[in-house]
Amino acid sequence: MPSTAAATARILADTGIQRVFGLPGGEVLVLMDELRRAGVDFVLMRHEANAGLAAAVYGKLRRQPGVVLTTLGPGAANLMLPMSNAYLDLEPLLAISAQVPDDVPASHTHQRLPLHDVYRPIARYVETITAANVFDVVPRALASCMERPFGVSCLTLSAREALEPAAGGTARTVASGRVSSGVARMQADALAGALSGASRPLLLIGLGIDTANAARIRQWVSGWNLPVAVTPKVKGIVDETAANFVGVAGGMAADGVLCDAIAAADLVVGFGLDPVEIDKTWHAERPIHWVLESPNAGGIVPSGTVLVDHAALLDALVEQAPPRSWPAPFKEFRDRRARLLIDRMESAGTMWPGDIVQALASVMPPETIVTTDVGSHKYLFGQYWPSREPETFWMSNGLSGMAYGLSAAIGAKLARPSAPVLAAVGDGGFSMNAQELETAERVGAPFIAVVLEDGSYSLIKISQAGKKLPPYRTEFGRIDTVRMAEACGVRGLRTANPDELAAAAKRAVDDRRSLVIAVPVEDAAYTRMF
């Protein structure tokens, strides 16, 4: 009879989980060894938060739960950031942590935290793994992560219980429900009818879509030549270089232009639109034709909205002829958006942020996965990186937590080893977890990191200026980005020349090696694009 730890590891392996991310601790050593025995690799990272972020991206790209494993106490406490991020960004994440056994004296409070109480508000399934329930609880936790919208499960396992013989021997199969497709034809007719009466419609695609429907979405949007915008977490679901692409809505650079475009539309179709990505309230202030197949973050369904299977709906739509034509109704907004990228401000020794995006986009293949940290550069890349393919752009947006870019890059590269990965981060975020560059080298996940150096938390500094406050405590001293990279075994260089930036990135892609490129920028340059 297998131990509870062995049964847990076997269930994960049989589900197709090939990697678990985390940090070791005395209380999880038995489970770690059983994972090894089951053929599940343990990706050792340098902080639990980074491990959880990497796991969630890895899992979503592989269309399965990402799994992060930590010890009890501080290890489990450090999971709050990645679990919160997965909760708001709708990423499937199973967090497993050690815990003090239930039967120890109540006075034994060393490293004891009320983990279930802490995580239950953001985790849809929370339970303790025991010898009696392991074959029921672990499959349920995995299945709960994959219910649309994707979400978080949390399991705890004590070191003592891990050694107990598991009762029973067969994992339960837990079916994940899906919205009925019976109303798809009626919804398709209603949507086509609404579009037929609109002279300036805007299709706004959001986080609630299933990327498995990317081909269907592209066939519909291109076939009807619909004006389309996206929110940042689904960049690449349509080709952003196409003539009918209007821009990225949801608080990125040029947000004023996109808000004006939305206001000018006489019909906004929210196809999988989730307000969790939007930092303003226009989604609640103007009529939206909602087309959702699952609830939004927090389980919210807009009043009067009937959930519909997107695959069946799209199949019904592509069978129909376009109800009318829309000859570039948003051209003025597209032109305004484009001008902001090239309306440069010259500053000696620095690079114009728009040149960074254009230089990198000129040499990186369309299948490149781009991850960003949080800060001014996130707004820049979120709006202007020309995503061409689905699932190739990753940022923390619902939560908007820093230190995401490098961790996400590791998870993305391990999930898609053949795809180049580019992490765009600021010097503030880079200093939070640059040590994970060593992790990337050790686990065979090379990527390019472009570090935009402005010596400040520039987004907060800009906010201070907007409130007519002085730039108080938002600037910091310089840390040598190149030497930090080299200390982790990664090549580094610094340049303010767009051609040199492009050439270095291309060489790194061709060589399949990690590279850190530090690029000095002037923080005031961002304000011209916001």
Side-chain angles (χ1 to χ4, degrees), residues 461-505:
K461 187 177 177 182
I462 292 169
S463 181
Q464 285 176 324
K467 294 177 171 61
K468 301 189 184 306
L469 298 172
Y472 180 69
R473 298 293 190 263
T474 52
E475 298 175 336
F476 44 78
R478 179 174 175 269
I479 297 175
D480 194 322
T481 299
V482 173
R483 292 178 66 183
M484 287 180 70
E486 292 172 346
C488 293
V490 175
R491 293 179 299 163
L493 66 90
R494 177 174 286 101
T495 182
N497 183 291
D499 293 336
E500 186 177 8
L501 170 63

mmCIF file of all heavy atoms in Angstrom, residues 461-505:
data_model
loop_
_atom_site.group_PDB
_atom_site.id
_atom_site.type_symbol
_atom_site.label_atom_id
_atom_site.label_comp_id
_atom_site.label_asym_id
_atom_site.label_seq_id
_atom_site.Cartn_x
_atom_site.Cartn_y
_atom_site.Cartn_z
ATOM 1 N N LYS A 461 6.206 57.477 -9.724
ATOM 2 C CA LYS A 461 6.717 58.847 -9.840
ATOM 3 C C LYS A 461 5.821 59.685 -10.752
ATOM 4 O O LYS A 461 5.524 60.852 -10.473
ATOM 5 C CB LYS A 461 8.146 58.805 -10.381
ATOM 6 C CG LYS A 461 8.869 60.127 -10.396
ATOM 7 C CD LYS A 461 10.302 59.912 -10.877
ATOM 8 C CE LYS A 461 11.062 61.217 -10.987
ATOM 9 N NZ LYS A 461 12.445 60.991 -11.502
ATOM 10 N N ILE A 462 5.366 59.088 -11.852
ATOM 11 C CA ILE A 462 4.447 59.785 -12.755
ATOM 12 C C ILE A 462 3.126 60.079 -12.045
ATOM 13 O O ILE A 462 2.529 61.148 -12.209
ATOM 14 C CB ILE A 462 4.218 58.940 -14.027
ATOM 15 C CG1 ILE A 462 5.508 58.880 -14.863
ATOM 16 C CG2 ILE A 462 3.065 59.496 -14.854
ATOM 17 C CD1 ILE A 462 5.468 57.860 -15.981
ATOM 18 N N SER A 463 2.671 59.123 -11.230
ATOM 19 C CA SER A 463 1.434 59.327 -10.478
ATOM 20 C C SER A 463 1.599 60.472 -9.480
ATOM 21 O O SER A 463 0.677 61.282 -9.290
ATOM 22 C CB SER A 463 1.040 58.046 -9.748
ATOM 23 O OG SER A 463 -0.156 58.206 -9.027
ATOM 24 N N GLN A 464 2.764 60.544 -8.851
ATOM 25 C CA GLN A 464 3.021 61.659 -7.941
ATOM 26 C C GLN A 464 2.920 62.998 -8.678
ATOM 27 O O GLN A 464 2.300 63.942 -8.192
ATOM 28 C CB GLN A 464 4.411 61.521 -7.315
ATOM 29 C CG GLN A 464 4.509 60.457 -6.242
ATOM 30 C CD GLN A 464 5.924 60.290 -5.724
ATOM 31 O OE1 GLN A 464 6.884 60.409 -6.479
ATOM 32 N NE2 GLN A 464 6.054 59.991 -4.445
ATOM 33 N N ALA A 465 3.539 63.049 -9.854
ATOM 34 C CA ALA A 465 3.506 64.286 -10.634
ATOM 35 C C ALA A 465 2.077 64.646 -11.011
ATOM 36 O O ALA A 465 1.684 65.817 -10.988
ATOM 37 C CB ALA A 465 4.371 64.141 -11.879
ATOM 38 N N GLY A 466 1.272 63.627 -11.369
ATOM 39 C CA GLY A 466 -0.119 63.878 -11.724
ATOM 40 C C GLY A 466 -0.921 64.447 -10.568
ATOM 41 O O GLY A 466 -1.904 65.170 -10.778
ATOM 42 N N LYS A 467 -0.514 64.125 -9.345
ATOM 43 C CA LYS A 467 -1.185 64.649 -8.145
ATOM 44 C C LYS A 467 -0.492 65.905 -7.628
ATOM 45 O O LYS A 467 -0.782 66.369 -6.520
ATOM 46 C CB LYS A 467 -1.202 63.573 -7.064
ATOM 47 C CG LYS A 467 -2.052 62.365 -7.399
ATOM 48 C CD LYS A 467 -1.962 61.310 -6.312
ATOM 49 C CE LYS A 467 -2.960 60.184 -6.510
ATOM 50 N NZ LYS A 467 -2.774 59.449 -7.761
ATOM 51 N N LYS A 468 0.464 66.421 -8.430
ATOM 52 C CA LYS A 468 1.233 67.627 -8.077
ATOM 53 C C LYS A 468 1.998 67.437 -6.778
ATOM 54 O O LYS A 468 2.103 68.353 -5.935
ATOM 55 C CB LYS A 468 0.317 68.853 -8.021
ATOM 56 C CG LYS A 468 -0.408 69.125 -9.342
ATOM 57 C CD LYS A 468 -1.121 70.450 -9.330
ATOM 58 C CE LYS A 468 -1.924 70.660 -10.614
ATOM 59 N NZ LYS A 468 -1.114 70.504 -11.844
ATOM 60 N N LEU A 469 2.537 66.223 -6.605
ATOM 61 C CA LEU A 469 3.373 65.905 -5.450
ATOM 62 C C LEU A 469 4.830 65.802 -5.898
ATOM 63 O O LEU A 469 5.107 65.442 -7.044
ATOM 64 C CB LEU A 469 2.938 64.575 -4.828
ATOM 65 C CG LEU A 469 1.510 64.516 -4.283
ATOM 66 C CD1 LEU A 469 1.157 63.083 -3.889
ATOM 67 C CD2 LEU A 469 1.342 65.454 -3.090
ATOM 68 N N PRO A 470 5.778 66.090 -5.025
ATOM 69 C CA PRO A 470 7.186 65.934 -5.396
ATOM 70 C C PRO A 470 7.541 64.457 -5.517
ATOM 71 O O PRO A 470 6.854 63.598 -4.930
ATOM 72 C CB PRO A 470 7.927 66.592 -4.223
ATOM 73 C CG PRO A 470 6.991 66.445 -3.067
ATOM 74 C CD PRO A 470 5.609 66.583 -3.644
ATOM 75 N N PRO A 471 8.600 64.123 -6.253
ATOM 76 C CA PRO A 471 9.010 62.720 -6.411
ATOM 77 C C PRO A 471 9.692 62.192 -5.146
ATOM 78 O O PRO A 471 10.910 62.035 -5.084
ATOM 79 C CB PRO A 471 9.976 62.777 -7.600
ATOM 80 C CG PRO A 471 10.550 64.156 -7.557
ATOM 81 C CD PRO A 471 9.444 65.035 -7.044
ATOM 82 N N TYR A 472 8.894 61.938 -4.141
ATOM 83 C CA TYR A 472 9.408 61.544 -2.826
ATOM 84 C C TYR A 472 9.522 60.022 -2.711
ATOM 85 O O TYR A 472 8.537 59.293 -2.847
ATOM 86 C CB TYR A 472 8.486 62.085 -1.737
ATOM 87 C CG TYR A 472 8.897 61.751 -0.327
ATOM 88 C CD1 TYR A 472 10.035 62.328 0.238
ATOM 89 C CD2 TYR A 472 8.155 60.870 0.439
ATOM 90 C CE1 TYR A 472 10.423 62.029 1.536
ATOM 91 C CE2 TYR A 472 8.523 60.562 1.735
ATOM 92 C CZ TYR A 472 9.659 61.143 2.284
ATOM 93 O OH TYR A 472 10.034 60.837 3.567
ATOM 94 N N ARG A 473 10.745 59.547 -2.466
ATOM 95 C CA ARG A 473 11.045 58.134 -2.204
ATOM 96 C C ARG A 473 10.604 57.195 -3.334
ATOM 97 O O ARG A 473 10.154 56.070 -3.088
ATOM 98 C CB ARG A 473 10.405 57.687 -0.884
ATOM 99 C CG ARG A 473 10.926 58.443 0.351
ATOM 100 C CD ARG A 473 12.387 58.114 0.615
ATOM 101 N NE ARG A 473 12.805 58.633 1.910
ATOM 102 C CZ ARG A 473 13.442 59.788 2.092
ATOM 103 N NH1 ARG A 473 13.715 60.561 1.038
ATOM 104 N NH2 ARG A 473 13.802 60.178 3.301
ATOM 105 N N THR A 474 10.706 57.656 -4.541
ATOM 106 C CA THR A 474 10.418 56.784 -5.690
ATOM 107 C C THR A 474 11.660 56.571 -6.558
ATOM 108 O O THR A 474 11.579 55.906 -7.575
ATOM 109 C CB THR A 474 9.292 57.376 -6.561
ATOM 110 O OG1 THR A 474 9.607 58.732 -6.884
ATOM 111 C CG2 THR A 474 7.965 57.315 -5.836
ATOM 112 N N GLU A 475 12.782 57.123 -6.155
ATOM 113 C CA GLU A 475 14.032 56.960 -6.902
ATOM 114 C C GLU A 475 15.017 56.169 -6.057
ATOM 115 O O GLU A 475 14.999 56.217 -4.828
ATOM 116 C CB GLU A 475 14.609 58.334 -7.267
ATOM 117 C CG GLU A 475 13.676 59.146 -8.166
ATOM 118 C CD GLU A 475 14.198 60.547 -8.430
ATOM 119 O OE1 GLU A 475 14.997 61.045 -7.602
ATOM 120 O OE2 GLU A 475 13.811 61.150 -9.446
ATOM 121 N N PHE A 476 15.875 55.421 -6.736
ATOM 122 C CA PHE A 476 16.837 54.585 -6.016
ATOM 123 C C PHE A 476 18.187 54.626 -6.725
ATOM 124 O O PHE A 476 18.296 55.024 -7.885
ATOM 125 C CB PHE A 476 16.346 53.142 -5.891
ATOM 126 C CG PHE A 476 15.759 52.569 -7.151
ATOM 127 C CD1 PHE A 476 16.569 52.129 -8.195
ATOM 128 C CD2 PHE A 476 14.381 52.455 -7.294
ATOM 129 C CE1 PHE A 476 16.020 51.596 -9.351
ATOM 130 C CE2 PHE A 476 13.826 51.930 -8.442
ATOM 131 C CZ PHE A 476 14.650 51.491 -9.475
ATOM 132 N N GLY A 477 19.223 54.187 -6.005
ATOM 133 C CA GLY A 477 20.569 54.160 -6.558
ATOM 134 C C GLY A 477 20.735 53.069 -7.596
ATOM 135 O O GLY A 477 20.006 52.083 -7.629
ATOM 136 N N ARG A 478 21.730 53.248 -8.428
ATOM 137 C CA ARG A 478 21.975 52.319 -9.531
ATOM 138 C C ARG A 478 22.607 51.024 -9.029
ATOM 139 O O ARG A 478 23.534 51.030 -8.219
ATOM 140 C CB ARG A 478 22.893 52.985 -10.557
ATOM 141 C CG ARG A 478 23.240 52.123 -11.747
ATOM 142 C CD ARG A 478 24.044 52.920 -12.778
ATOM 143 N NE ARG A 478 24.486 52.094 -13.878
ATOM 144 C CZ ARG A 478 25.646 51.444 -13.914
ATOM 145 N NH1 ARG A 478 26.474 51.555 -12.892
ATOM 146 N NH2 ARG A 478 25.985 50.706 -14.940
ATOM 147 N N ILE A 479 22.081 49.915 -9.491
ATOM 148 C CA ILE A 479 22.689 48.598 -9.312
ATOM 149 C C ILE A 479 23.119 48.122 -10.694
ATOM 150 O O ILE A 479 22.351 48.231 -11.650
ATOM 151 C CB ILE A 479 21.704 47.594 -8.678
ATOM 152 C CG1 ILE A 479 21.307 48.059 -7.271
ATOM 153 C CG2 ILE A 479 22.291 46.198 -8.622
ATOM 154 C CD1 ILE A 479 20.254 47.205 -6.612
ATOM 155 N N ASP A 480 24.322 47.602 -10.802
ATOM 156 C CA ASP A 480 24.867 47.227 -12.107
ATOM 157 C C ASP A 480 24.154 45.977 -12.631
ATOM 158 O O ASP A 480 24.430 44.851 -12.192
ATOM 159 C CB ASP A 480 26.367 46.987 -12.002
ATOM 160 C CG ASP A 480 27.044 46.934 -13.362
ATOM 161 O OD1 ASP A 480 26.427 46.383 -14.305
ATOM 162 O OD2 ASP A 480 28.172 47.433 -13.492
ATOM 163 N N THR A 481 23.250 46.182 -13.556
ATOM 164 C CA THR A 481 22.455 45.081 -14.113
ATOM 165 C C THR A 481 23.335 44.045 -14.792
ATOM 166 O O THR A 481 23.120 42.831 -14.641
ATOM 167 C CB THR A 481 21.433 45.641 -15.127
ATOM 168 O OG1 THR A 481 20.562 46.555 -14.467
ATOM 169 C CG2 THR A 481 20.622 44.534 -15.755
ATOM 170 N N VAL A 482 24.318 44.500 -15.531
ATOM 171 C CA VAL A 482 25.187 43.574 -16.264
ATOM 172 C C VAL A 482 25.967 42.693 -15.303
ATOM 173 O O VAL A 482 26.057 41.472 -15.482
ATOM 174 C CB VAL A 482 26.130 44.351 -17.195
ATOM 175 C CG1 VAL A 482 27.150 43.420 -17.837
ATOM 176 C CG2 VAL A 482 25.328 45.071 -18.276
ATOM 177 N N ARG A 483 26.515 43.280 -14.257
ATOM 178 C CA ARG A 483 27.289 42.488 -13.302
ATOM 179 C C ARG A 483 26.391 41.532 -12.521
ATOM 180 O O ARG A 483 26.809 40.421 -12.166
ATOM 181 C CB ARG A 483 28.055 43.406 -12.364
ATOM 182 C CG ARG A 483 29.169 44.181 -13.072
ATOM 183 C CD ARG A 483 29.898 45.116 -12.147
ATOM 184 N NE ARG A 483 30.647 44.400 -11.123
ATOM 185 C CZ ARG A 483 31.333 45.003 -10.145
ATOM 186 N NH1 ARG A 483 31.335 46.332 -10.065
ATOM 187 N NH2 ARG A 483 31.995 44.287 -9.244
ATOM 188 N N MET A 484 25.150 41.938 -12.256
ATOM 189 C CA MET A 484 24.214 41.024 -11.602
ATOM 190 C C MET A 484 23.956 39.808 -12.484
ATOM 191 O O MET A 484 23.913 38.672 -12.006
ATOM 192 C CB MET A 484 22.908 41.740 -11.289
ATOM 193 C CG MET A 484 22.989 42.733 -10.147
ATOM 194 S SD MET A 484 21.405 43.549 -9.815
ATOM 195 C CE MET A 484 20.444 42.198 -9.137
ATOM 196 N N ALA A 485 23.775 40.056 -13.771
ATOM 197 C CA ALA A 485 23.562 38.945 -14.698
ATOM 198 C C ALA A 485 24.775 38.030 -14.728
ATOM 199 O O ALA A 485 24.645 36.790 -14.653
ATOM 200 C CB ALA A 485 23.261 39.490 -16.088
ATOM 201 N N GLU A 486 25.943 38.614 -14.836
ATOM 202 C CA GLU A 486 27.167 37.820 -14.918
ATOM 203 C C GLU A 486 27.397 37.027 -13.639
ATOM 204 O O GLU A 486 27.919 35.903 -13.675
ATOM 205 C CB GLU A 486 28.349 38.737 -15.212
ATOM 206 C CG GLU A 486 28.286 39.339 -16.615
ATOM 207 C CD GLU A 486 29.345 40.397 -16.865
ATOM 208 O OE1 GLU A 486 29.970 40.874 -15.878
ATOM 209 O OE2 GLU A 486 29.545 40.755 -18.037
ATOM 210 N N ALA A 487 26.996 37.589 -12.488
ATOM 211 C CA ALA A 487 27.126 36.867 -11.226
ATOM 212 C C ALA A 487 26.261 35.619 -11.200
ATOM 213 O O ALA A 487 26.535 34.677 -10.445
ATOM 214 C CB ALA A 487 26.762 37.784 -10.060
ATOM 215 N N CYS A 488 25.202 35.622 -12.016
ATOM 216 C CA CYS A 488 24.302 34.458 -12.107
ATOM 217 C C CYS A 488 24.670 33.546 -13.268
ATOM 218 O O CYS A 488 23.918 32.611 -13.588
ATOM 219 C CB CYS A 488 22.862 34.925 -12.249
ATOM 220 S SG CYS A 488 22.212 35.777 -10.790
ATOM 221 N N GLY A 489 25.779 33.820 -13.937
ATOM 222 C CA GLY A 489 26.233 32.976 -15.038
ATOM 223 C C GLY A 489 25.611 33.303 -16.369
ATOM 224 O O GLY A 489 25.633 32.460 -17.283
ATOM 225 N N VAL A 490 25.084 34.520 -16.519
ATOM 226 C CA VAL A 490 24.407 34.924 -17.748
ATOM 227 C C VAL A 490 25.154 36.101 -18.368
ATOM 228 O O VAL A 490 25.580 37.022 -17.663
ATOM 229 C CB VAL A 490 22.941 35.324 -17.463
ATOM 230 C CG1 VAL A 490 22.255 35.864 -18.714
ATOM 231 C CG2 VAL A 490 22.166 34.128 -16.918
ATOM 232 N N ARG A 491 25.295 36.081 -19.684
ATOM 233 C CA ARG A 491 25.937 37.194 -20.376
ATOM 234 C C ARG A 491 25.090 38.452 -20.243
ATOM 235 O O ARG A 491 23.859 38.388 -20.208
ATOM 236 C CB ARG A 491 26.108 36.878 -21.858
ATOM 237 C CG ARG A 491 27.095 35.764 -22.173
ATOM 238 C CD ARG A 491 27.167 35.524 -23.663
ATOM 239 N NE ARG A 491 25.871 35.124 -24.199
ATOM 240 C CZ ARG A 491 25.536 35.159 -25.479
ATOM 241 N NH1 ARG A 491 26.415 35.592 -26.371
ATOM 242 N NH2 ARG A 491 24.353 34.764 -25.886
ATOM 243 N N GLY A 492 25.766 39.596 -20.210
ATOM 244 C CA GLY A 492 25.054 40.855 -20.129
ATOM 245 C C GLY A 492 25.753 41.944 -20.912
ATOM 246 O O GLY A 492 26.962 41.887 -21.152
ATOM 247 N N LEU A 493 24.974 42.934 -21.342
ATOM 248 C CA LEU A 493 25.530 44.109 -21.993
ATOM 249 C C LEU A 493 24.602 45.280 -21.746
ATOM 250 O O LEU A 493 23.439 45.111 -21.407
ATOM 251 C CB LEU A 493 25.743 43.876 -23.494
ATOM 252 C CG LEU A 493 24.500 43.669 -24.385
ATOM 253 C CD1 LEU A 493 24.007 45.006 -24.926
ATOM 254 C CD2 LEU A 493 24.818 42.744 -25.535
ATOM 255 N N ARG A 494 25.151 46.482 -21.924
ATOM 256 C CA ARG A 494 24.352 47.697 -21.792
ATOM 257 C C ARG A 494 24.467 48.481 -23.088
ATOM 258 O O ARG A 494 25.556 48.630 -23.635
ATOM 259 C CB ARG A 494 24.828 48.538 -20.607
ATOM 260 C CG ARG A 494 24.081 49.878 -20.456
ATOM 261 C CD ARG A 494 24.475 50.613 -19.194
ATOM 262 N NE ARG A 494 23.893 49.979 -18.005
ATOM 263 C CZ ARG A 494 24.547 49.167 -17.182
ATOM 264 N NH1 ARG A 494 25.823 48.890 -17.411
ATOM 265 N NH2 ARG A 494 23.945 48.633 -16.151
ATOM 266 N N THR A 495 23.340 48.979 -23.582
ATOM 267 C CA THR A 495 23.359 49.737 -24.830
ATOM 268 C C THR A 495 22.245 50.772 -24.846
ATOM 269 O O THR A 495 21.182 50.552 -24.258
ATOM 270 C CB THR A 495 23.232 48.820 -26.057
ATOM 271 O OG1 THR A 495 23.308 49.605 -27.251
ATOM 272 C CG2 THR A 495 21.904 48.062 -26.051
ATOM 273 N N ALA A 496 22.512 51.871 -25.510
ATOM 274 C CA ALA A 496 21.480 52.877 -25.781
ATOM 275 C C ALA A 496 21.270 53.021 -27.274
ATOM 276 O O ALA A 496 20.688 54.003 -27.734
ATOM 277 C CB ALA A 496 21.874 54.221 -25.164
ATOM 278 N N ASN A 497 21.728 52.019 -28.029
ATOM 279 C CA ASN A 497 21.650 52.047 -29.490
ATOM 280 C C ASN A 497 20.653 50.997 -29.969
ATOM 281 O O ASN A 497 20.843 49.801 -29.723
ATOM 282 C CB ASN A 497 23.032 51.771 -30.088
ATOM 283 C CG ASN A 497 23.041 51.864 -31.603
ATOM 284 O OD1 ASN A 497 22.454 51.012 -32.271
ATOM 285 N ND2 ASN A 497 23.700 52.875 -32.142
ATOM 286 N N PRO A 498 19.581 51.387 -30.668
ATOM 287 C CA PRO A 498 18.566 50.411 -31.101
ATOM 288 C C PRO A 498 19.137 49.320 -32.002
ATOM 289 O O PRO A 498 18.719 48.154 -31.891
ATOM 290 C CB PRO A 498 17.543 51.273 -31.853
ATOM 291 C CG PRO A 498 17.712 52.639 -31.284
ATOM 292 C CD PRO A 498 19.170 52.775 -30.972
ATOM 293 N N ASP A 499 20.055 49.659 -32.883
ATOM 294 C CA ASP A 499 20.636 48.648 -33.772
ATOM 295 C C ASP A 499 21.442 47.621 -32.985
ATOM 296 O O ASP A 499 21.387 46.414 -33.275
ATOM 297 C CB ASP A 499 21.523 49.318 -34.827
ATOM 298 C CG ASP A 499 20.725 50.170 -35.801
ATOM 299 O OD1 ASP A 499 19.525 49.906 -35.976
ATOM 300 O OD2 ASP A 499 21.308 51.106 -36.386
ATOM 301 N N GLU A 500 22.188 48.084 -32.001
ATOM 302 C CA GLU A 500 22.959 47.158 -31.172
ATOM 303 C C GLU A 500 22.030 46.275 -30.347
ATOM 304 O O GLU A 500 22.288 45.082 -30.159
ATOM 305 C CB GLU A 500 23.910 47.933 -30.261
ATOM 306 C CG GLU A 500 24.844 47.036 -29.465
ATOM 307 C CD GLU A 500 25.834 47.815 -28.624
ATOM 308 O OE1 GLU A 500 25.710 49.054 -28.530
ATOM 309 O OE2 GLU A 500 26.740 47.172 -28.037
ATOM 310 N N LEU A 501 20.946 46.852 -29.855
ATOM 311 C CA LEU A 501 19.948 46.077 -29.109
ATOM 312 C C LEU A 501 19.375 44.978 -29.981
ATOM 313 O O LEU A 501 19.297 43.803 -29.567
ATOM 314 C CB LEU A 501 18.834 47.005 -28.636
ATOM 315 C CG LEU A 501 17.586 46.350 -28.031
ATOM 316 C CD1 LEU A 501 17.923 45.587 -26.767
ATOM 317 C CD2 LEU A 501 16.505 47.401 -27.749
ATOM 318 N N ALA A 502 18.979 45.306 -31.202
ATOM 319 C CA ALA A 502 18.387 44.319 -32.105
ATOM 320 C C ALA A 502 19.386 43.230 -32.455
ATOM 321 O O ALA A 502 19.046 42.028 -32.457
ATOM 322 C CB ALA A 502 17.882 45.010 -33.369
ATOM 323 N N ALA A 503 20.617 43.612 -32.751
ATOM 324 C CA ALA A 503 21.635 42.628 -33.136
ATOM 325 C C ALA A 503 21.942 41.672 -31.984
ATOM 326 O O ALA A 503 22.090 40.458 -32.188
ATOM 327 C CB ALA A 503 22.903 43.346 -33.587
ATOM 328 N N ALA A 504 22.035 42.204 -30.766
ATOM 329 C CA ALA A 504 22.323 41.357 -29.615
ATOM 330 C C ALA A 504 21.181 40.376 -29.355
ATOM 331 O O ALA A 504 21.407 39.197 -29.053
ATOM 332 C CB ALA A 504 22.564 42.226 -28.379
ATOM 333 N N ALA A 505 19.944 40.854 -29.477
ATOM 334 C CA ALA A 505 18.794 39.972 -29.266
ATOM 335 C C ALA A 505 18.756 38.870 -30.315
ATOM 336 O O ALA A 505 18.480 37.703 -29.995
ATOM 337 C CB ALA A 505 17.507 40.783 -29.298
#
